[in-house]
Amino acid sequence: MNTPLSWIKAYVPELACEDREYCDAMTLSGTKVEGFERLDKNLEKIVVGHIEKIERHPDADKLIICQVNVGTETVQIVTGAQNLKEGDYVPTVLDGGKVAGGHDGGPLPENGIKIKAGKLRGIESCGMMCAIEELGSNRDMYPEAPEDGVYVFQKPVTPGEDAVEALGLHDTVVEYEVTSNRVDCYSILGIAREAAATFKKPFVPPVVEVKGNDEDVNNYISVEIKDRDLCTRFCARVCKNIKIAPSPEWMQRRLAACGIRPINNLVDITNYVMMEYGQPMHAYDLKNVSGNKIIVRRAKDGDEFQTLDGQVRKLDSEMLMICDAEKEIGLAGIMGGENSKITDDVQTVLFEAATFNGANIRKSSKRVGLRTDASGIFEKGLDPRNAEAAINRACQLIGELGCGEVVGGIVDVKEPLKELKQIKFEPERINKFLGTEISKEEMLQIFGRLELAYDEGTGMITAPSFRQDIECFADIAEEVARFYGYDKIPTTLPNGEATTGKLSFKLRVEEKARDIAEYCGFSQGMCYSFESPKVFDKLLIPADSPLRQAVTIANPLGEDFSIMRTISLNGILTSLASNYNRRNKNVRLYELGNIYIPKSLPVDDYPDERMQFTLGMYGEGDFFTMKGVIEEFFESIGMNKKISYDPKAEKMFLHPGRQALIQYGNKVIGYLGEVHPEVADHYDIDTKVYIAVLDMPEILPFASFDRKYEGIAKYPAVSRDISMVVPKNILAGDIERVIEQRGGKILEEYQLFDIYEGSQIKSGYKSVAYSITFRAKDRTLEESDVSGAMKKILNGLEGLGIELRA
């Protein structure tokens, strides 16, 4: 994006600063400047000269001698230019002055060319009259300049005045790098608004008043949008009695400085409005619009269309076309058609300003191999409200420049405009977010300069429609930061645990899970989150199980990756199967990965992503080996006191008699067991497989890394062994709960050391033996202390139907 600084100053009239200061300040406030170039670079001592007399050179047929009035004196200059005549006013370099380059229009020397008085074929010459190329410009910017000769002023000028000023070359062209989300800055008004906010100067946009005649535009044209997903707004206005002529000098200069070649007043107006408002426009000769009707629709596959550049383009049904009642007349957002172009005999013009789907314009531009200034802007997604303002500005210029007569009214076909975005204004939160202490009043002043409206009653900031990048709290905080000044924001460390160099608590627990698993001989596996619906059948999961309610992938790689997994077993079993079929004898794998539980189906919100700690093994080890691994993990995160196991897990994919739910208090936090033989067979594993799955979100609230140091015991311990005959339906956990509940404060530990079932034990029973240790922290225990505790424990065990062995 290139803009002449003089055009910016037209809308920020109080802006007064050096070029470097302007560029640095704009970059710091977020409108990055890539570079700038002075149009008057290396132009020194150049004034307006008036040619009073011309004589032929006595010794050279192609040279003439001119007496040139430069205001303070008349100087003699010898030149070879053939386009001069007496009375002409020309830019003249005085002795010792500089020009930017040579007449050939080649690359400009870095330091220009110095002009000195001398003799040409024996005749003194004190200066030089300049071609436009010697002033560092070209005929695109000054189309009235001769192709080969000295530039002659077409407007009234005074001898001796600054010729560079008269030519409008005391200006700077600034190049900006504009990000795609700031489509408003692809316009002079957008850049000017940013400049006004940066330098805290008033922003004075043009006042647009269209003076239309008493006619109704609907009598001239009608508009129908058939594909509203690709065109959300189409504005049309008509101007008649068109007079094609060169556009005024000021408009030509501004367009040329932006890199746009002036053509005529009509074309220049559409280009001028595109640059000023960032809204591409197009003009059609109304007599070429059949049926006086515009239809916006998709093209048909296989159609061909000739664009204004004379090329025939192949179309398809994904391209949007501007059509009349009979034919296509424009490739929407890219280029008009040869069949409706403006010619010198045009009488009535139809102006179009529309809002097209940006992604579609980009795709269409790529497919036809044609990228224009208009398509480059459209593809970024324009503000629908800007279309009406731009077309009114164009019609205003038509009237002001005497280019034609504006027909009254506007045809405006559009989808309902979106509500303006509102964001809650929280100055304290903004200061905390930025690490600043900016007052509420200063923030509101910044918002006012940016046209962000504040409602005191609701406390809401309303973003204008042209600021499509402002969507949330962080966006308005960014506006405060960039106009308060990034250089003024103090350096602060971010808040949170990361400041102290720690992992978050959740990651520390997961790291501990990895450490324990790897310490116990498990290797980490990485499994797919995408799975096949057939997994549920392989795992014997019932048809009515909630686990089958999975998120379906919209564009899966195939059926095997068509849903998000709701259970983590398939991945680990698949990996175990791969190892088993490669004859690895003892394999232990673990995974820390998410499952995805939808909150509702069809999906209308993000699923619940739950981290699962999954362990699987075969070979050496059994159910109790796996149980020991998870208990090691629980102990490492401070959860070894309230763990219990419920054998009534009822997991279809686990062996009916070798499975258990893992509970912490009354909360189920996972399960473990031997894989059902039928499931193992589905995975081609011909051996016993053990798995454990822990639901990490359920574990986190109970985990703790707090540890209390306890000194070495000062007093001796007392141990008692008990051997019991226990009904087979009584679990070891039931016995241990009784010991814990009734052992009292002096209970230090207990340990199961024997289980026996055989002919010496009566049918339906088993022999179980525990060693129980008592110790007091403040004294030596007496026999009565231990006997009392043991009596309570034995009474509790008898209540379970347990008998002591003799």
Side-chain angles (χ1 to χ4, degrees):
M1 176 74 183
N2 294 349
T3 70
L5 196 52
S6 60
W7 200 350
I8 300 298
K9 290 180 177 178
Y11 304 135
V12 192
E14 296 183 18
L15 180 62
C17 60
E18 296 295 326
D19 295 340
R20 174 54 63 187
E21 179 187 357
Y22 172 84
C23 294
D24 289 346
M26 291 294 283
T27 297
L28 281 174
S29 68
T31 308
K32 184 182 178 185
V33 175
E34 286 288 288
F36 67 93
E37 182 180 1
R38 290 287 308 180
L39 296 182
D40 58 2
K41 180 181 178 182
N42 294 325
L43 301 182
E44 298 177 8
K45 297 179 69 174
I46 303 177
V47 299
V48 174
H50 179 221
I51 302 176
E52 296 179 337
K53 185 177 180 182
I54 297 178
E55 299 176 317
R56 305 302 302 179
H57 193 291
D59 297 323
D61 294 339
K62 294 185 178 181
L63 297 180
I64 58 175
I65 305 170
C66 300
Q67 303 301 320
V68 184
N69 179 1
V70 293
T72 57
E73 60 178 326
T74 298
V75 298
Q76 179 172 286
I77 298 176
V78 179
T79 179
Q82 301 300 310
N83 66 310
L84 299 177
K85 64 183 185 299
E86 292 180 357
D88 284 345
Y89 291 86
V90 296
T92 306
V93 190
L94 302 178
D95 181 23
K98 268 187 179 183
V99 292
H103 182 268
D104 58 0
L108 300 179
E110 179 63 28
N111 298 314
I113 300 173
K114 195 162 188 175
I115 303 301
K116 295 182 179 180
K119 290 184 178 182
L120 286 177
R121 289 291 185 95
I123 302 296
E124 285 196 12
S125 181
C126 299
M128 183 179 77
M129 294 175 286
C130 303
I132 201 65
E133 290 80 8
E134 290 165 329
L135 298 174
S137 191
N138 54 58
R139 295 185 67 246
D140 284 342
M141 192 163 183
Y142 296 88
E144 73 276 14
E147 186 173 349
D148 184 19
V150 170
Y151 180 84
V152 178
F153 285 101
Q154 306 295 307
K155 63 180 181 179
V157 287
T158 304
E161 72 173 283
D162 186 350
V164 178
E165 176 70 27
L167 286 165
L169 287 174
H170 284 315
D171 201 356
T172 304
V173 176
V174 182
E175 180 185 0
Y176 307 88
E177 179 187 320
V178 182
T179 54
S180 295
N181 66 320
R182 288 303 305 274
V183 67
D184 59 300
C185 286
Y186 284 92
S187 67
I188 299 295
L189 289 176
I191 297 291
R193 187 182 292 106
E194 291 287 303
T198 299
F199 291 94
K200 301 180 181 178
K201 302 296 183 183
F203 172 56
V204 186
V207 177
V208 179
E209 294 180 355
V210 183
K211 297 179 180 179
N213 62 22
D214 295 333
E215 296 180 273
D216 184 356
V217 69
N218 292 289
N219 296 328
Y220 284 80
I221 194 69
S222 63
V223 175
E224 178 186 359
I225 303 177
K226 289 190 174 181
D227 292 289
R228 294 189 175 232
D229 57 325
L230 301 183
C231 178
T232 54
R233 189 172 194 180
F234 193 102
C235 297
R237 296 201 69 153
V238 172
C239 297
K240 65 179 189 177
N241 301 326
I242 297 296
K243 302 177 184 66
I244 299 294
S247 54
E249 183 180 296
W250 59 266
M251 181 176 285
Q252 291 187 33
R253 301 289 185 266
R254 287 180 175 180
L255 290 175
C258 293
I260 298 176
R261 183 171 62 88
I263 297 175
N264 59 49
N265 51 4
L266 193 59
V267 175
D268 290 354
I269 284 172
T270 60
N271 286 332
Y272 186 87
V273 172
M274 179 179 71
M275 293 304 303
E276 187 176 49
Y277 278 78
Q279 170 67 54
M281 294 181 56
H282 192 68
Y284 301 92
D285 190 337
L286 190 60
K287 71 174 182 289
N288 295 327
V289 179
S290 301
N292 284 50
K293 184 173 184 178
I294 292 291
I295 301 172
V296 185
R297 61 166 176 80
R298 282 178 164 86
K300 297 176 182 177
D301 288 325
D303 280 0
E304 292 185 343
F305 179 68
Q306 187 175 18
T307 47
L308 277 171
D309 58 0
Q311 298 295 314
V312 176
R313 312 284 176 177
K314 291 185 178 180
L315 309 178
D316 61 51
S317 59
E318 291 302 311
M319 299 178 187
L320 189 66
M321 302 299 294
I322 310 299
C323 309
D324 60 20
E326 298 176 356
K327 61 188 180 300
E328 294 99 342
I329 58 174
L331 187 53
I334 302 174
M335 185 176 281
E338 181 74 18
N339 55 10
S340 61
K341 70 178 181 180
I342 300 295
T343 57
D344 290 343
D345 63 348
V346 63
Q347 294 296 315
T348 306
V349 166
L350 168 66
F351 278 121
E352 160 210 313
T355 307
F356 302 118
N357 180 284
N360 177 264
I361 296 299
R362 178 167 176 77
K363 291 176 182 177
S364 299
S365 175
K366 297 279 282 185
R367 282 200 290 271
V368 299
L370 176 62
R371 196 167 191 269
T372 60
D373 291 337
S375 68
I377 297 176
F378 271 122
E379 68 189 26
K380 293 170 178 62
L382 299 186
D383 170 22
R385 287 179 169 84
N386 196 35
E388 182 180 2
I391 202 169
N392 287 338
R393 174 64 165 160
C395 290
Q396 177 193 33
L397 291 171
I398 289 285
E400 289 180 352
L401 302 184
C403 184
E405 179 184 350
V406 181
V407 174
I410 181 174
V411 177
D412 188 4
V413 180
K414 61 180 183 289
E415 291 291 286
L417 297 176
K418 292 182 180 179
E419 293 293 327
L420 297 179
K421 188 73 177 181
Q422 290 192 321
I423 301 159
K424 187 172 181 59
F425 179 43
E426 302 171 278
E428 296 83 5
R429 186 183 173 194
I430 290 175
N431 276 324
K432 185 177 180 181
F433 185 66
L434 298 177
T436 55
E437 295 180 0
I438 307 171
S439 67
K440 175 182 177 181
E441 291 70 24
E442 187 172 356
M443 291 184 191
L444 290 176
Q445 288 176 4
I446 291 172
F447 295 152
R449 296 200 298 271
L450 294 170
E451 301 181 30
L452 301 176
Y454 174 61
D455 188 328
E456 187 76 40
T458 62
M460 303 296 285
I461 296 289
T462 302
S465 61
F466 58 80
R467 288 302 302 273
Q468 299 181 60
D469 60 304
I470 295 181
E471 296 183 344
C472 62
F473 161 80
D475 294 323
I476 63 170
E478 180 188 11
E479 298 304 297
V480 172
R482 66 194 188 97
F483 289 107
Y484 172 72
Y486 290 120
D487 55 325
K488 297 179 185 178
I489 297 176
T491 301
T492 57
L493 289 173
N495 294 324
E497 288 188 351
T499 304
T500 61
K502 294 181 180 178
L503 294 173
S504 67
F505 182 76
K506 173 179 178 291
L507 293 180
R508 289 172 66 193
V509 173
E510 291 175 9
E511 184 179 52
K512 185 60 70 174
R514 292 188 188 92
D515 290 346
I516 295 300
E518 291 169 9
Y519 171 77
C520 294
F522 287 75
S523 298
Q524 185 171 11
M526 302 294 289
C527 304
Y528 289 114
S529 295
F530 300 160
E531 291 186 334
S532 167
K534 297 176 182 177
V535 165
F536 301 124
D537 294 330
K538 292 177 71 174
L539 294 174
L540 306 181
I541 293 174
D544 59 350
S545 172
L547 292 175
R548 288 183 178 261
Q549 305 302 308
V551 176
T552 302
I553 307 302
N555 54 343
L557 297 174
E559 185 183 8
D560 290 344
F561 302 95
S562 61
I563 62 169
M564 303 294 289
R565 65 178 181 176
T566 58
I567 185 170
S568 62
L569 287 186
N570 177 65
I572 209 77
L573 289 175
T574 301
S575 297
L576 289 172
S578 297
N579 280 275
Y580 181 79
N581 291 319
R582 285 169 175 75
R583 299 187 181 183
N584 292 325
K585 294 183 179 180
N586 299 296
V587 176
R588 297 186 177 190
L589 299 175
Y590 78 93
E591 181 203 10
L592 277 165
N594 288 337
I595 59 171
Y596 303 85
I597 308 299
K599 296 171 184 175
S600 62
L601 289 177
V603 173
D604 58 6
D605 195 4
Y606 294 114
D608 182 14
E609 299 185 24
R610 305 187 68 83
M611 176 66 70
Q612 306 290 288
F613 180 26
T614 308
L615 301 106
M617 69 179 192
Y618 68 80
E620 292 182 359
D622 56 14
F623 178 94
F624 296 102
T625 305
M626 183 66 82
K627 179 172 175 284
V629 173
I630 62 173
E631 287 182 347
E632 184 82 17
F633 168 59
F634 289 139
E635 183 175 2
S636 71
I637 59 172
M639 288 178 59
N640 55 323
K641 297 296 184 183
K642 299 179 182 178
I643 295 294
S644 61
Y645 302 89
D646 182 359
K648 300 176 182 177
E650 299 181 355
K651 301 291 184 183
M652 298 299 179
F653 44 81
L654 296 179
H655 193 293
R658 299 168 190 169
Q659 58 175 284
L661 294 178
I662 307 168
Q663 296 178 317
Y664 189 80
N666 295 322
K667 194 80 171 179
V668 175
I669 59 175
Y671 56 86
L672 81 159
E674 180 185 327
V675 173
H676 196 289
E678 187 176 343
V679 173
D681 187 55
H682 289 163
Y683 286 89
D684 295 327
I685 304 176
D686 190 20
T687 188
K688 292 181 179 180
V689 182
Y690 300 93
I691 60 97
V693 178
L694 300 178
D695 191 18
M696 298 299 277
E698 296 290 356
I699 288 173
L700 288 177
F702 306 117
S704 173
F705 292 103
D706 293 338
R707 298 288 186 270
K708 281 189 177 181
Y709 169 75
E710 292 185 6
I712 298 173
K714 296 180 180 180
Y715 301 98
V718 178
S719 297
R720 294 286 188 270
D721 292 345
I722 56 173
S723 181
M724 301 162 281
V725 178
V726 181
K728 284 189 176 181
N729 64 330
I730 300 296
L731 303 176
D734 298 331
I735 299 172
E736 291 171 0
R737 274 192 291 274
V738 172
I739 296 173
E740 284 184 359
Q741 292 168 2
R742 293 175 173 262
K745 293 182 179 180
I746 64 172
L747 176 67
E748 184 175 76
E749 66 174 348
Y750 53 86
Q751 187 171 2
L752 174 68
F753 68 85
D754 184 56
I755 297 179
Y756 172 74
E757 295 182 30
S759 58
Q760 298 180 9
I761 306 298
K762 59 183 177 180
S763 177
Y765 284 80
K766 58 187 174 183
S767 174
V768 177
Y770 275 88
S771 177
I772 305 174
T773 302
F774 301 94
R775 191 196 304 266
K777 295 181 180 180
D778 55 353
R779 59 191 174 86
T780 300
L781 291 175
E782 297 180 359
E783 178 62 27
S784 59
D785 297 321
V786 178
S787 298
M790 285 299 298
K791 185 175 181 181
K792 290 179 181 179
I793 291 172
L794 294 174
N795 289 339
L797 294 173
E798 288 176 2
L800 296 177
I802 296 173
E803 304 172 5
L804 283 178
R805 290 186 67 185

